[in-house]
């Protein structure tokens, strides 16, 4: 066995191509992990156009997690205080179908909710949409992308008439100015950052601007770092627009011919004088001017953004204000230019294509459009009116639905909300009230398993074949290469089996994921995300491809596809829309009682709630413990020294951390990583502190900021050292 399998890294939205080889290769020692267990070998796929053979530490070490602590069998319990007992799949399906039917006929389909994930493959997503939104007639499918990309989705839709990042990775090496806002690309999208940094180093005229309240590894590589106060992005961008206008750096013919609503934006930006803007953002006027000058004088400007922009109570407005800058300067639809949202999860893009948010339907359709609903009802062989005209519950609305007793079944798959949702105490209390929670994951224990009645073992990366789309709209076939452990099943297989047992045999007659994908591709016909030219077979033989990709073969394989090159947008009149937004600032501002702003985010070696990276020696050693970053000025006011412990309190909860005193964070702001749930540390949950206030358009919560107070923990009272996770896995140990 020397054959390698081509696939995609299942972590971040960069979507690096990987080649996987069996542990044993002729003439070589068997590949083993740190504990001596034989493991598959992973290397970058040089033929993959997105990553060209590069991988970061997460992709390189992924194989080590595949055999650790897997959930192997369905397990059931009647109440959350009981131990789980092993059951057969037959019993599990019976139990699900009976519950769903009872809830459907007693409370109605709106009492059924599914909370899925950007870590699904597209086939998983599509099957779930067909089951919930089509067959059951409830739009209560939402995904963790609600916490991640939904502001980018609504910003693109409102400005361009359709979702979809217009750029491609080749643009990283074609831009004259890269404007990175609210993204720690170096740690979170490392291979994109490698490409950009290399090009930036080799080309002295290229400018890199980073806007982030912290001096991240990304900021350290920039020509200009704007350490703005959290939540002042709109001030900054309106202030830049003001200067671009004053200096005549705008594209009159583009604005005239290709856009609408410029006067409203021009009116708003007038107020953002350099002095006021700089003062609000907490930066120097000269730095604001430098940013505007770099942008205005560059022929090609590429902006990159992620959670510092999206996870905000004005997330959509932030996205649209950034797009405004591109529209006023004509920086779109050409090589090296455009507003490029970096997708978080490996298949958040595929989720959007498949309609995997509560207001969307497959093929970049929306629930509230009657024609879109009718097209799908017909395609799915359902009666007219079967798809509900009402958007379903968002992730947070599922929590409030539990609180109000409106949810009869909650089905969670490929996400760990008992760590990742805002306002965790409230989230956990709501989960405890759930009449019946199904939880479908690859690992056990995870924090959310504590709140589940029925556990379903999921086949994960490498154990099922399906497609994922990365940030540059490139679709890659992720092929299975290893046996599934225990009785694990692919997510789509579980959804399809439930569909058949609920009486939709015809709708779920799929026998392979290739058939699921073939059907999904047809649903995208004549839609902005058209991929009728793609199939598992074509992706296997010819390699990854970007959409749009029609079966008539309009886009040549290998050609970088950029959207909007004809400068026609998906709005009814073909014009892009300026948005006009004043800054509103943070939903929860600091005050005398809670004087500091807490921001949260990621570390290079860890992935989210550590279900994999916490079980991999190398990545665990990189970041063994949680911590809180604080500026020396704030630290000395509190009498804190490096490594002292503090209790952080918000209006909702508390957490405890040792402090890292560093000038890399602005005074008045503190930072904690999001990675430690209650299985991995005592009381170090970032989300014990955060609040669920969200953007009115995208419904994305403001996970990036809340008001906190810090109380030093006096010597002698210090909390126990954090236990090693192995020591606490007994909390959830299944009964045999
Ligand atoms: N190593 C690693 N990589 C990952 C992930 C992971 O878990 N680990 N997860 C993936 C996923 S799903 C996602 S969504 C992405 C996230 O990727 P990023 O968005 O790059 O990561 P974050 O650390 O969440 O936040 C980015 C930055 O936003 C800054 N920020 C906070 N408030 C503000 C503000 O008001 N304005 C501005 N301009 N910036 C602000 C923070 O200081 C932080 O440095 O990463 C993906 N890649
Ligand atoms: N405070 C704070 N909170 C945040 C954020 C933040 O920046 N700050 N970021 C938010 C963002 S952007 C995101 S994306 C979320 C991420 O938060 P989560 O989605 O909760 O985090 P993960 O640890 O990625 O959870 C994914 C789960 O899916 C499982 N899994 C992996 N592959 C498969 C599969 O194929 N099938 C199934 N069924 N299961 C699988 C894994 O074992 C894991 O338990 O967190 C959000 N929460
Ligand atoms: S950059 Fe992202 S996709 Fe690439 S190897 Fe690292 S985690 Fe995986
Ligand atoms: Mo994310």
């Amino acid at each position: 066995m020397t054959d390698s399998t081509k696939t995609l890294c299942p972590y971040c939205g960069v979507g690096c191509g990987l080649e996987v080889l069996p542990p044993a290769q002729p003439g070589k020692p068997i590949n083993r992990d740190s504990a001596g267990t034989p493991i598959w070998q992973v290397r970058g796929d040089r033929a993959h156009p997105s990553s060209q053979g590069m991988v970061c530490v997460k992709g390189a070490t992924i194989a080590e997690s595949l055999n650790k602590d897997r959930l192997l069998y369905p397990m059931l319990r009647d109440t959350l205080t009981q131990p789980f007992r092993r059951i057969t799949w037959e019993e599990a399906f019976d139990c699900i179908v009976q519950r769903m039917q009872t809830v459907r006929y007693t409370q109605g389909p709106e009492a059924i909710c599914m909370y899925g994930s950007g870590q699904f493959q597209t086939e998983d997503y599509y099957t779930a949409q067909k089951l919930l939104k089509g067959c059951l007639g409830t739009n209560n499918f939402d995904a963790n992308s609600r916490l991640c990309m939904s502001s980018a989705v609504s910003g693109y839709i409102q400005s361009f008439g359709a979702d979809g990042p217009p750029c491609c990775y080749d643009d990283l090496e074609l831009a004259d100015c890269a404007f990175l806002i609210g993204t720690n690309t170096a740690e979170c999208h490392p291979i994109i950052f490698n490409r950009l940094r290399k090009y930036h180093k080799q080309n002295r005229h290229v400018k890199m601007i980073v806007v982030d309240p912290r001096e991240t590894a990304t900021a350290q590589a920039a020509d200009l770092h704007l350490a703005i106060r959290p939540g002042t992005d709109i001030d900054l961008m309106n202030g830049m627009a003001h200067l671009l206008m004053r200096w005549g750096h705008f594209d009159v013919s583009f604005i005239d011919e290709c856009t609408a609503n410029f006067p409203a934006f021009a009116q708003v930006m007038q107020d953002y004088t350099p002095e006021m803007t700089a003062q609000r953002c907490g930066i120097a006027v000269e730095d604001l001017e430098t940013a505007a000058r770099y942008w205005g004088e560059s022929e090609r400007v590429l902006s990159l953004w992620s959670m510092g922009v999206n996870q905000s109570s004005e997330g959509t407005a932030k996205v649209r204000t950034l797009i405004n800058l591109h529209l006023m300067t004509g920086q779109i639809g050409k090589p090296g230019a455009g507003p490029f949202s970096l997708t978080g999860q490996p298949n958040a893009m595929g989720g959007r294509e498949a309609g995997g948010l509560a207001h969307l339907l497959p093929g970049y359709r929306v629930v509230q459009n009657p024609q879109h609903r009718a097209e799908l009802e017909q395609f799915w062989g359902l009666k007219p009116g079967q798809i509900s005209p009402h958007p379903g519950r968002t992730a947070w609305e599922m929590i409030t639905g539990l609180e109000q007793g409106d949810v009869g079944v909650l089905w969670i798959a490929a996400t760990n909300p008992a760590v990742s949702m805002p306002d965790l105490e409230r989230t956990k209390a709501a989960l405890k009230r759930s009449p019946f929670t199904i939880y479908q994951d690859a690992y056990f224990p995870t924090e959310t398993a504590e709140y589940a009645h029925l556990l379903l073992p999921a086949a994960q990366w490498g154990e099922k074949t399906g497609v994922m789309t990365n940030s540059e709209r490139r679709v890659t076939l992720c092929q299975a290469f290893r046996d599934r452990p225990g009785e694990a099943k692919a997510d789509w297989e579980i959804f399809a089996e439930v569909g058949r047992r609920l009486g939709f045999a015809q709708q779920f007659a799929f026998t392979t994921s290739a058939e699921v994908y073939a059907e999904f591709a047809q649903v995208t016909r004549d839609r902005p995300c058209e991929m009728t030219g793609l199939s598992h077979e074509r992706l296997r033989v010819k390699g990854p491809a970007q959409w749009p990709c029609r079966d008539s073969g309009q886009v040549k394989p290998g050609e970088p596809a950029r959207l909007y090159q004809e400068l026609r947008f998906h709005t009814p009149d073909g014009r892009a829309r300026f948005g006009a937004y004043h800054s509103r600032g943070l939903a929860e501002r600091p005050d005398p009682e809670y004087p500091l702003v807490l921001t949260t985010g990621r570390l290079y070696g860890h992935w989210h709630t550590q279900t994999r990276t916490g079980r991999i020696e190398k990545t665990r050693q990189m970041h063994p413990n949680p911590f809180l970053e604080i500026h020396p000025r704030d630290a000395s006011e509190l009498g804190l020294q490096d490594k002292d412990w503090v209790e952080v309190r918000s209006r909702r909860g508390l957490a405890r951390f040792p402090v890292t005193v560093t000038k890399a964070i602005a005074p008045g702001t503190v930072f904690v990583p999001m990675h430690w749930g209650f299985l991995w540390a005592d009381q170090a949950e970032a989300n014990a502190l955060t609040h669920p206030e969200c953007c009115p358009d995208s419904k994305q919560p403001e996970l990036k900021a809340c008001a906190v107070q810090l109380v030093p923990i006096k010597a002698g009272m210090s909390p126990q050292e954090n236990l090693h996770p192995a020591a606490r896995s007994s909390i959830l140990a299944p009964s045999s």
Side-chain angles (χ1 to χ4, degrees):
M1 281 268 281
T2 52
D3 283 355
S4 73
T5 309
K6 291 205 173 192
T7 180
L8 197 72
C9 172
Y11 287 120
C12 87
V14 179
C16 297
L18 300 182
E19 272 185 281
V20 187
L21 294 106
Q25 295 295 314
K28 288 193 183 158
I30 292 178
N31 194 46
R32 293 175 194 279
D33 68 10
S34 45
T37 315
I39 55 162
W40 291 73
Q41 310 183 40
V42 172
R43 63 178 183 221
D45 173 7
R46 285 170 185 276
H48 198 290
S50 297
S51 51
Q52 304 161 357
M54 292 181 274
V55 282
C56 79
V57 71
K58 293 181 293 302
T61 54
I62 172 76
E64 199 177 318
S65 68
L66 297 179
N67 277 327
K68 306 247 170 83
D69 297 341
R70 293 295 300 271
L71 176 62
L72 299 175
Y73 314 104
M75 294 201 279
L76 181 69
R77 59 181 171 184
D78 297 326
T79 67
L80 299 186
T81 50
Q82 290 174 348
F84 285 108
R85 64 189 160 84
R86 182 177 165 181
I87 57 169
T88 64
W89 270 108
E90 197 53 36
E91 289 169 298
F93 283 125
D94 278 350
C95 169
I96 296 169
V97 167
Q98 203 198 5
R99 277 275 167 180
M100 301 265 266
Q101 294 294 41
T102 310
V103 170
R104 252 172 111 195
Y105 295 115
T106 54
Q107 290 174 273
E110 298 301 339
I112 300 173
C113 292
M114 185 181 284
Y115 182 44
S117 164
Q119 291 164 70
F120 276 165
Q121 293 177 337
T122 302
E123 294 80 355
D124 304 322
Y125 258 119
Y126 176 71
T127 314
Q129 304 317 302
K130 196 174 180 182
L131 177 62
L132 275 267
K133 296 178 180 173
C135 299
L136 295 177
T138 170
N139 293 315
N140 289 340
F141 178 100
D142 212 42
N144 57 2
S145 285
R146 184 67 64 184
L147 313 177
C148 183
M149 301 312 298
S150 63
S151 296
V153 175
S154 56
Y156 278 137
I157 293 179
Q158 291 181 13
S159 292
F160 297 148
D163 186 16
C167 312
C168 59
Y169 295 164
D170 286 359
D171 291 331
L172 297 164
E173 288 132 6
L174 293 165
D176 302 307
C177 174
F179 183 76
L180 282 63
I181 180 161
T183 165
N184 183 4
T185 327
E187 295 196 65
C188 296
H189 295 95
I191 301 309
I192 284 181
F193 193 71
N194 284 359
R195 284 180 71 167
L196 179 64
R197 188 175 46 187
K198 192 166 160 210
Y199 168 73
H200 175 237
K201 271 192 184 155
Q202 286 168 351
N203 294 277
R204 299 199 64 182
H205 78 281
V206 175
K207 299 296 181 216
M208 195 198 296
I209 307 170
V210 172
V211 184
D212 194 308
R214 299 189 301 136
E215 191 190 320
T216 56
T218 313
Q220 283 164 6
D223 298 294
L224 177 66
H225 171 210
L226 301 173
I228 60 166
R229 283 198 189 97
T232 57
D233 301 76
I234 294 182
D235 296 290
L236 176 79
M237 292 187 284
N238 281 342
M240 285 173 66
H242 181 106
L243 284 171
L244 290 168
M245 196 67 181
R246 190 189 280 183
W247 295 337
H249 289 305
F250 56 94
D251 187 336
V252 184
S253 59
F254 182 86
I255 295 171
D256 271 0
E257 287 160 32
C258 309
T259 72
N261 205 33
F262 181 68
F265 175 52
Q267 178 87 39
V268 163
M269 70 166 91
Q270 260 177 13
D271 295 353
Y272 292 77
T273 60
E275 294 70 27
M276 184 195 88
T277 303
Q279 192 254 329
R280 282 201 185 174
C281 296
I283 59 172
V285 172
E286 300 76 65
D287 287 346
L288 171 68
E289 288 172 346
T290 307
R293 190 158 46 79
Y294 284 168
W295 187 302
E297 291 175 356
S298 296
E299 211 165 297
R300 292 176 289 200
V301 184
L302 182 71
S303 62
L304 305 175
W305 84 86
S306 40
M307 293 311 115
V309 169
N310 291 346
Q311 284 173 344
S312 159
S313 55
E314 47 183 358
T316 307
K318 282 193 188 183
V319 169
R320 294 201 66 196
T321 304
L322 176 58
I323 293 176
N324 285 346
L325 291 176
H326 285 272
L327 294 178
M328 85 179 272
T329 53
Q331 292 289 355
I332 184 160
K334 60 184 186 184
F340 198 174
S341 78
L342 301 179
T343 339
Q345 296 172 89
N347 197 34
M349 289 285 292
R352 284 143 74 173
E353 293 150 17
L357 287 168
H359 60 299
L360 302 179
L361 292 170
Y364 274 13
R365 291 178 175 87
V366 293
V367 163
Q368 280 172 310
N369 182 320
Q371 192 190 329
H372 289 176
R373 293 196 303 275
E375 284 165 6
L376 283 167
E377 284 157 358
Q378 200 189 3
F379 189 86
W380 283 340
L382 301 168
K383 62 178 196 300
Q386 173 71 21
I387 299 176
S388 161
H390 308 295
R393 289 181 182 274
T394 63
W396 184 253
E397 287 163 356
M398 292 181 190
I399 297 300
T400 55
L402 287 170
E403 288 175 343
Q404 287 148 10
D406 293 337
V407 177
V409 182
L410 175 62
W411 191 340
I412 303 169
T415 178
N416 194 2
V419 183
S420 54
M421 283 285 231
D423 198 352
L424 263 189
E425 290 314 312
R426 192 169 157 192
T427 295
K428 289 177 189 169
L431 289 172
K432 267 193 193 150
R433 294 191 51 181
S434 172
F436 194 70
T437 300
I438 307 167
Y439 182 52
Q440 185 167 311
D441 203 282
Y443 290 90
F444 184 87
T446 72
E447 289 80 356
T448 301
E450 180 120 325
Y451 299 90
H453 299 93
L454 176 61
L455 298 177
L456 300 178
Q460 63 161 336
W461 177 79
E463 299 156 4
K464 58 180 183 182
T465 294
V467 307
M468 293 205 176
T469 307
N470 72 8
S471 291
E472 61 164 348
R473 306 183 318 285
R474 194 179 297 280
V475 184
T476 301
L477 183 67
C478 309
Q479 305 188 72
F481 55 83
R482 69 193 295 267
D483 292 337
R484 296 167 180 187
E487 296 177 358
K489 288 186 193 288
D491 296 288
W492 74 265
E493 290 172 336
I494 302 171
F495 302 145
E497 182 61 25
V498 170
R500 285 189 291 268
R501 288 174 184 237
L502 285 171
F504 302 97
Q506 187 203 328
Q507 280 80 5
F508 296 100
F510 310 117
T511 56
T512 63
S513 60
E515 290 169 21
V516 180
Y517 189 72
E519 180 179 305
F520 169 63
Q522 290 307 314
V523 166
T524 66
R525 183 173 299 283
D526 297 328
R527 301 298 306 155
C529 61
E530 173 148 8
M531 51 193 100
T532 48
L534 300 182
S535 64
H536 278 202
E537 188 54 21
R538 143 133 199 202
L539 292 165
R540 188 175 1 255
V541 177
K542 295 197 181 155
Q546 280 175 291
W547 61 254
C549 184
R550 300 189 171 94
D551 45 13
S552 53
Q554 193 191 325
V555 176
K556 293 190 204 98
E559 188 176 288
R562 285 185 191 87
L563 305 183
Y564 311 127
Q565 299 196 88
E566 285 88 42
L567 307 183
R568 297 276 307 163
F569 298 89
H570 291 294
T571 50
D573 60 7
R575 289 167 176 267
R577 298 280 184 277
F578 281 95
Y581 295 95
H582 281 292
S583 161
R584 284 188 282 113
L586 300 177
E588 187 181 61
R589 292 176 201 193
D591 60 15
E593 204 184 340
Y594 295 95
L596 297 165
V597 176
L598 170 81
T599 189
T600 65
R602 294 159 168 78
L603 305 173
Y604 173 58
H606 272 314
W607 178 258
H608 297 158
T609 71
Q610 301 199 43
T611 50
R612 288 179 180 131
T613 53
R615 295 179 164 99
I616 297 169
E617 181 78 10
K618 187 163 180 184
T619 47
R620 196 177 62 229
Q621 304 261 320
M622 282 175 87
H623 318 282
N625 292 306
F627 56 85
L628 174 135
E629 280 183 4
I630 185 168
H631 189 271
R633 196 197 73 186
D634 294 328
S636 86
E637 268 177 27
L638 289 157
L640 284 169
Q641 310 212 329
D642 209 43
K643 303 210 165 46
D644 283 353
W645 282 75
V646 281
E647 187 164 291
V648 187
R649 297 176 186 163
S650 76
R651 288 185 177 81
R652 296 154 295 277
L654 59 85
R656 295 168 164 202
F657 304 93
V659 301
T660 301
V661 180
T662 170
K663 286 191 175 146
I665 189 147
T669 305
V670 292
F671 167 83
V672 301
M674 64 164 292
H675 303 296
W676 279 268
F678 63 80
L679 286 180
W680 299 92
D682 275 330
Q683 292 193 301
E685 296 158 293
N687 285 324
L689 303 157
T690 55
H691 63 70
E693 292 302 314
C694 64
C695 167
D697 291 324
S698 69
K699 308 278 173 68
Q700 178 158 357
E702 189 155 88
L703 289 162
K704 279 285 172 278
C706 66
V708 295
Q709 54 176 245
L710 261 50
V711 182
I713 296 174
K714 294 190 192 70
M717 287 178 60
S718 44
Q720 298 173 337
E721 285 287 285
N722 289 327
L723 297 174
H724 185 277
R728 61 189 70 239
S729 53
S730 58
I731 305 171
L732 279 167
S735 71
S736 45

